[in-house]
């Protein structure tokens, strides 16, 4: 995970009582690995679920559990700990702690710290589904949001108590993503971004088909970077084995035609369209409805191909197209073909992959083609590159100048 947003950030990680405390061990590791410093503060109840020793070892800092901790020179841990913090994150946030926060109560170190803070507060609720649905909890959560507190999650699914429903804490990785997103500059705030990613799958019969080696990594990295930049993101994905980036709306499709239809349903409402998918240029005319049998002595099957719609060109042709960005993966002469392709597809910006095909790889190097000329971006991992590309795209949007 590339995490420039968290490098050098100082977080107070407040833990309250709940079985989800075990997820905070992993969250702490992810945060420190990303370059954040993490000061853990635990309520008495949290120490029943995981020990301060474990959290100290993972965060590399002594853990605070008591308001009367003599290690703070002026004996005002509740003031001192939040003054250096870029944010306080409460994870897991119990029902009880949400209620305390909503009412401004301050009867232990962590709650007092929250009331005395002068930095943003993020809470990551974790509780049984009935506790989450309880009208009092919902009232408290509404109040916390109204007070400008970020509520991350909760997730839905099986719970430690054996019940199933809303209330379980986001997984450590998702919590980490949500925190990273919180710190990203919101250069696409209020913008709607539509993307395609991955390969398409064109059936020959019910079990066989034609696809390509696109992994979807670049498109998913761009979706994640756009979400972190504050955009509302709709990702139309071909068949890939990737997790949906946190906060992104994902629509899965198989064929180029389905991808085209999904995109055209939403393109008119988008501010930006980025066609990253490696869309099959052709499909088999009349794919067989039955599995094609291999019968000895019979002639080999033959297929007639028909052209698939060009999604990028269709979007660019709309009467009021979004800012439309294409990708080009060429196995040679990119510099010659890039600008030619951009003009042919009628898009203001085309991003060309340099060098050999980068399908499936984690690194990439690109050239930006536009009417004004070309710009090269340095080789980087796909997530770093995605962040740089989002900055480049935001810079080129009409009616806005979010960077300068
Ligand atoms: O023509 P070529 O496939 O090289 O162009 C690549 C660009 O066009 C990518 O942005 C890809 O997502 C888009 N494309 C498309 N629909 C197609 C073929 C390509 O949107 N049928």
């Amino acid at each position: 995970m590339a995490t420039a947003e968290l490098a050098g950030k100082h977080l107070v990680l407040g833990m309250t009582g709940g079985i989800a405390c075990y997820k905070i061990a992993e969250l702490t590791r992810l945060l420190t690995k990303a370059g954040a410093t993490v000061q853990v503060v635990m309520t008495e109840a949290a120490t029943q679920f995981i020990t301060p020793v474990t959290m100290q070892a993972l965060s590399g800092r002594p853990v605070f559990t008591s308001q009367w901790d003599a290690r703070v020179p002026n004996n005002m841990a509740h003031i001192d700990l939040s003054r250096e913090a870029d944010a306080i994150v409460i994870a897991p946030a119990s029902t009880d702690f949400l209620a305390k926060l909503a009412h401004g109560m301050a009867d232990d170190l962590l709650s007092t710290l929250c009331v005395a803070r002068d930095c943003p507060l993020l809470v990551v609720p974790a509780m049984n589904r009935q506790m989450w649905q309880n009208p009092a909890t919902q009232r408290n959560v509404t109040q916390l949001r109204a007070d400008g507190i970020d509520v991350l999650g909760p997730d839905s699914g099986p719970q430690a108590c054996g019940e199933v429903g809303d209330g379980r804490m986001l997984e450590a990785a998702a919590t980490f993503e949500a925190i990273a997103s919180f710190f990203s500059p919101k250069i696409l705030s209020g913008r709607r971004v539509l993307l395609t990613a991955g390969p398409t799958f064109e059936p020959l019969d019910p079990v066989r088909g034609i696809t390509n080696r696109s992994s979807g990594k670049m498109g998913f990295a761009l979706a994640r970077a756009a979400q972190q930049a504050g955009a509302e993101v709709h990702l139309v994905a071909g068949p890939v084995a990737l997790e949906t980036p946190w906060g992104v709306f994902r629509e899965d499709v198989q064929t180029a035609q389905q991808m085209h239809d999904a995109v055209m349903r939403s393109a008119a409402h988008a501010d930006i369209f980025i066609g990253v998918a490696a869309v099959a240029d052709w499909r088999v005319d009349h794919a067989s409805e039955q599995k094609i049998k291999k019968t000895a002595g019979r002639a080999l099957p033959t297929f007639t191909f028909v052209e698939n719609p060009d999604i990028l060109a269709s979007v660019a042709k709309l009467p009021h197209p979004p800012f439309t960005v294409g990708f080009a993966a060429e196995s040679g002469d990119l510099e010659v073909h890039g600008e030619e392709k951009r003009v042919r597809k009628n898009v203001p910006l085309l991003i060309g992959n340099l060098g050999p095909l980068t399908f499936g790889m984690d690194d990439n190097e690109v050239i930006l083609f536009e009417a004004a000329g070309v710009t090269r971006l340095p080789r980087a991992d796909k997530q770093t590159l995605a962040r740089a590309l989002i900055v480049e795209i935001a810079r080129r949007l009409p009616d806005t100048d979010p960077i300068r």
Side-chain angles (χ1 to χ4, degrees):
M1 265 177 264
T3 45
E5 305 82 8
L6 286 164
K9 292 283 184 287
H10 180 65
L11 302 174
V12 169
L13 185 52
M15 300 173 62
T16 70
I19 189 61
C21 276
Y22 79 91
K23 295 183 181 177
I24 311 308
E26 175 69 359
L27 174 64
T28 304
R29 204 185 61 79
L30 292 172
L31 291 169
T32 52
K33 212 169 135 205
T37 53
V38 178
Q39 175 60 63
V40 177
V41 177
M42 300 171 79
T43 62
E44 221 262 287
T47 66
Q48 298 290 322
F49 291 91
I50 190 166
T51 70
V53 174
T54 303
M55 296 314 300
Q56 175 172 351
L58 290 166
S59 64
R61 288 176 159 241
V63 169
F64 285 83
T65 55
S66 157
Q67 189 153 9
W68 318 117
D69 197 311
R71 283 173 296 176
V72 178
N74 61 6
N75 225 319
M76 292 198 192
H78 64 288
I79 307 283
D80 271 28
L81 290 177
S82 84
R83 287 300 174 264
E84 305 159 8
D86 292 297
I88 300 178
V89 181
I90 307 294
S94 64
T95 317
D96 174 61
F97 201 78
L98 294 183
K100 275 163 114 170
L101 278 179
H103 291 89
M105 286 171 69
D107 62 356
D108 62 5
L109 175 59
L110 191 57
S111 55
T112 313
L113 195 58
C114 289
V115 177
R117 78 185 183 281
D118 64 353
C119 62
L121 177 59
L122 288 73
V123 297
V124 194
M127 64 199 70
N128 162 273
R129 68 187 173 92
Q130 294 291 8
M131 295 170 90
W132 174 252
Q133 278 163 14
N134 187 293
T137 306
Q138 288 304 310
R139 230 175 15 243
N140 291 334
V141 170
T142 304
Q143 184 60 54
L144 294 180
R145 290 202 175 104
D147 292 346
I149 293 168
D150 275 51
V151 181
L152 311 179
D155 225 340
S156 195
Q159 306 201 308
C161 52
E163 296 180 7
V164 178
D166 289 346
R168 55 180 272 147
M169 199 189 116
L170 295 178
E171 292 305 326
T175 309
F176 172 84
E177 289 293 328
I179 298 169
S181 176
F182 175 82
F183 283 111
S184 296
K186 300 291 175 267
I187 57 174
L188 289 183
S189 170
R191 302 287 190 165
R192 279 169 296 193
V193 177
L194 176 66
L195 302 103
T196 61
T200 59
F201 181 89
E202 307 298 330
L204 299 176
D205 69 15
V207 293
R208 304 183 184 92
I210 298 173
T211 186
N212 61 65
R213 299 177 68 182
S214 168
S215 64
K217 283 181 187 169
M218 193 65 223
F220 274 59
L222 275 160
R224 175 175 181 252
Q227 190 282 332
Q228 295 195 341
E232 192 184 302
V233 182
H234 179 171
L235 173 63
V236 180
V240 293
L242 294 173
E243 291 216 6
T244 311
W246 187 80
V248 166
F249 173 71
R250 170 175 176 176
E251 190 174 353
D252 284 314
V253 296
Q254 294 281 315
T255 67
Q257 187 64 52
Q258 289 167 355
M259 189 174 271
H260 171 271
D261 296 350
V263 165
M264 296 317 282
R265 272 194 298 272
S266 302
H269 312 293
D271 299 301
I272 301 169
F273 172 68
I274 315 177
V276 199
V279 185
D281 290 314
W282 317 282
R283 66 174 179 275
V284 167
D285 197 12
H286 305 300
S288 171
E289 280 176 20
Q290 308 293 329
K291 184 180 171 196
I292 301 166
K293 291 220 181 320
K294 184 177 131 191
T295 315
R298 250 179 63 187
L300 294 175
T302 54
F303 299 100
T304 316
F305 288 92
V306 289
E307 209 168 312
N308 272 325
D310 189 317
I311 303 168
L312 192 66
S314 310
V315 173
K317 264 191 230 134
L318 285 171
H320 301 287
F323 184 78
T324 303
V325 183
F327 264 74
E330 297 282 333
S331 45
D333 277 344
L334 174 66
E335 313 232 1
V336 181
H337 297 310
E339 180 58 12
E340 185 196 294
K341 184 172 284 187
R342 183 191 75 77
V343 172
R344 183 160 35 87
K345 300 249 180 184
N346 191 27
V347 293
L349 181 64
L350 186 108
I351 299 164
N353 291 310
L354 253 191
L357 290 177
T358 52
F359 283 2
M361 289 164 64
D362 288 325
D363 273 21
N364 206 355
E365 192 176 346
V366 299
I367 306 186
L368 276 52
F369 295 92
E370 60 194 321
V374 298
T375 313
R376 279 168 184 271
L377 296 188
R379 171 165 287 278
D381 67 90
K382 286 184 176 173
Q383 196 60 62
T384 304
L385 198 60
R387 209 177 297 116
L389 285 172
I390 289 298
V391 171
E392 295 292 340
I393 291 168
R395 226 179 227 150
R396 287 163 173 81
L397 289 180
D399 309 321
T400 184
D401 203 357
I403 312 294
R404 274 160 265 150

